[in-house]
Amino acid sequence: MINIPKGTKDVLPDQSYKWQYVENAAREVSRVYALREVRTPTFEYTELFNRGVGETTDVVGKEMYTFEDKGGRSITLKPEGTAGVARTFIENGLASSPMPLKTFYITPAFRYERPQAGRLREFHQFGIEIFGSSAPQTDAEVIFAASSFLKKLGVKARLEINSIGCKTCRSEYNKTLKNYFAPHLEQMCETCKTRFEKNPLRMLDCKEDNCKKIALSAPRITDCLCEECSAHFKNVKNLLDGQGLQYTVNPFIVRGLDYYTRTVFEFVSDEIGAQGTVCGGGRYDGLIEQLGGSSLPAIGFAAGIERLLIVMENTGAHFPEADKPLIYIAGMDEETRSKAFSVAAELRQKGIIAEIDHMSRSVKAQLKYADKLGAKYVAVIGGDELANGGVNLKNMSDGTQCAVKFGDIYTYLTKGE
């Protein structure tokens, strides 16, 4: 037997309606925020992620699915959505579009990491990316869009925000961090020792207990922001305060990808274990230029669908019921089964969920099957029904029956709508 690869998961027919519910909520939130869908390839040239995500990140250094194709080119399955959307923006000349350009995506992504609750090697993201605006209102709008999405799903999560500044103030902050971490470096993990030279800011994001303990007393970047970044962060907080959106400032949020600047944020749930972030994002004003485009501000977020589903199931969040057949049409022999097929086909053309027998069951077995499916109405077609040109429609919930001509079944089924 061939089993599913480690770190992947089947979505079975009796669970897929939950995924559709989350995806539909994402599309509805995107609609009211005037976001338009963008779709990018599942794989890209590896250089895109090396340059965009950052070679010092765990994603690039340890987690990417990278391979050489038959033409000798290095290809990577996308580990996140933003870099691909940024590449699309540049390659298709979207900088000439009216700004801001507001987009969203629902996409699979791939990271080679240790599978655990809410963290798989193939996972799915709903994300939004807005290009062209540096205004703090855009930061606030992106955060509100994420909050609206989570509320729509009934997911309770606390909002944590931070600012990691621009190139100028972050350069000074990195020097401050080096001075702080230097005396402790020998006690820290090998990854942090590497980050010390290349990107000391990422040392604040280390998950090793000893490193986390040392980082607790590190200088705060919010105390080192330049005047412009400090004013920007203050304005973002004022906008959140003005709408009553509660948050805490967490100076240890730096996000796991190198392209972030200024505002970063996470929505965190306690219903998913140690890896509690269900949605995160921030501003990445330098990414477009870094990938070969013109200098252009941008901001976005991504939410993990698998994680959201775990939180929803753990907290008893409401899922609508999966669609059930409105009518089951049973036949008794070849001729009546053919008529059942014809009636069902006509109803389906008009948008009615109709089901028939495909297993040559007896009428009694068909009625049991219709009940298992949750069909609201059942019609049995026999010789008399063919001769009379109609059926008795039985309401399965109360047992009442009504004689209906074949041509009037649709009208009868939709009369209450």
Side-chain angles (χ1 to χ4, degrees):
M1 176 172 172
I2 301 173
N3 294 318
I4 192 170
K6 185 177 181 180
T8 61
K9 186 177 181 180
D10 294 316
V11 179
L12 302 180
D14 65 348
Q15 293 294 307
S16 59
Y17 75 97
K18 296 181 179 180
W19 283 72
Q20 292 162 9
Y21 175 63
V22 173
E23 291 164 2
N24 289 339
R27 293 183 183 280
E28 175 58 18
V29 168
S30 298
R31 185 186 68 82
V32 299
Y33 278 86
L35 300 154
R36 292 185 294 171
E37 186 173 12
V38 59
R39 302 189 184 195
T40 64
T42 300
F43 56 87
E44 301 266 6
Y45 290 122
T46 304
E47 184 185 4
L48 173 68
F49 304 112
N50 288 344
R51 287 169 57 185
V53 175
E55 293 186 359
T56 63
T57 64
D58 285 348
V59 171
V60 171
K62 302 176 182 178
E63 298 171 358
M64 293 201 310
Y65 277 90
T66 297
F67 58 93
E68 193 173 278
D69 71 5
K70 293 181 179 181
R73 294 165 290 246
S74 182
I75 298 292
T76 294
L77 299 179
K78 61 181 171 186
E80 54 89 50
T82 301
V85 177
R87 192 265 313 146
T88 298
F89 182 89
I90 298 166
E91 187 168 347
N92 292 279
L94 298 181
S96 61
S97 304
M99 293 293 157
L101 182 68
K102 302 170 69 174
T103 67
F104 80 94
Y105 55 83
I106 299 173
T107 186
F110 307 85
R111 296 184 189 178
Y112 189 86
E113 52 188 347
R114 184 170 63 86
Q116 52 190 295
R119 188 179 286 272
L120 298 172
R121 291 176 177 176
E122 181 190 31
F123 57 100
H124 298 77
Q125 291 184 334
F126 160 54
I128 76 174
E129 315 291 353
I130 299 180
F131 300 95
S133 171
S134 60
Q137 289 91 334
T138 314
D139 303 41
E141 180 170 305
V142 167
I143 293 170
F144 273 108
S147 177
S148 298
F149 173 58
L150 297 177
K151 285 179 180 177
K152 197 172 187 66
L153 297 177
V155 171
K156 293 181 179 179
R158 63 184 180 275
L159 170 61
E160 299 181 354
I161 64 173
N162 192 25
S163 175
I164 55 174
C166 62
K167 283 184 179 179
T168 303
C169 50
R170 196 155 69 233
S171 176
E172 292 302 312
Y173 181 57
N174 279 335
K175 293 176 186 176
T176 303
L177 282 180
K178 277 193 169 186
N179 290 335
Y180 170 78
F181 281 120
H184 306 284
L185 202 56
E186 287 306 310
Q187 306 167 48
M188 303 185 79
C189 70
E190 292 304 314
T191 302
C192 279
K193 290 174 184 176
T194 302
R195 289 172 174 169
F196 179 82
E197 296 298 335
K198 294 183 176 181
N199 189 355
L201 181 68
R202 296 278 295 115
M203 297 172 75
L204 298 176
D205 197 37
C206 185
K207 302 300 187 287
E208 296 288 335
D209 288 341
N210 194 49
C211 297
K212 284 166 68 175
K213 204 175 295 182
I214 294 169
L216 277 175
S217 301
R220 305 294 194 248
I221 190 167
T222 45
D223 297 328
C224 303
L225 296 177
C226 67
E227 188 174 336
E228 192 176 339
C229 286
S230 182
H232 183 96
F233 192 42
K234 182 179 179 181
N235 285 334
V236 172
K237 291 186 288 183
N238 287 341
L239 289 164
L240 300 181
D241 292 336
Q243 295 301 312
L245 186 56
Q246 295 184 336
Y247 62 87
T248 57
V249 176
N250 181 349
F252 294 99
I253 295 179
V254 296
R255 303 295 295 149
L257 312 174
D258 279 356
Y259 50 60
Y260 285 110
T261 57
R262 288 193 173 174
T263 306
V264 289
F265 66 91
E266 294 180 351
F267 283 87
V268 182
S269 170
D270 296 320
E271 299 294 334
I272 200 172
Q275 304 292 339
T277 302
V278 293
C279 175
R283 182 166 283 285
Y284 50 94
D285 291 345
L287 180 60
I288 299 297
E289 186 175 16
Q290 192 174 322
L291 294 177
S294 56
S295 179
L296 199 75
I299 185 170
F301 76 73
I305 294 178
E306 284 87 351
R307 290 189 178 199
L308 287 171
L309 287 167
I310 289 174
V311 172
M312 293 172 72
E313 288 166 352
N314 287 352
T315 56
H318 169 73
F319 286 101
E321 285 191 3
D323 287 335
K324 297 175 181 178
L326 183 56
I327 183 170
Y328 185 98
I329 308 162
M332 303 178 71
D333 53 30
E334 186 175 344
E335 186 179 12
T336 55
R337 289 176 195 276
S338 179
K339 182 61 178 178
F341 181 90
S342 176
V343 173
E346 184 177 338
L347 292 172
R348 289 164 177 166
Q349 291 287 335
K350 296 177 179 179
I352 297 294
I353 305 176
E355 188 57 288
I356 59 174
D357 179 46
H358 293 277
M359 305 299 293
S360 299
R361 295 181 174 95
S362 67
V363 171
K364 183 178 180 181
Q366 287 184 66
L367 296 180
K368 286 184 178 179
Y369 180 60
D371 191 48
K372 286 181 180 179
L373 291 178
K376 185 174 181 180
Y377 294 96
V378 169
V380 178
I381 301 177
D384 290 343
E385 285 74 22
L386 280 180
N388 295 331
V391 292
N392 282 323
L393 276 184
K394 181 180 180 180
N395 187 316
M396 296 294 280
S397 60
D398 60 19
T400 58
Q401 297 190 52
C402 184
V404 183
K405 293 295 184 183
F406 288 129
D408 295 332
I409 293 176
Y410 173 78
T411 302
Y412 181 88
L413 293 175
T414 57
K415 68 181 187 297
E417 295 183 359

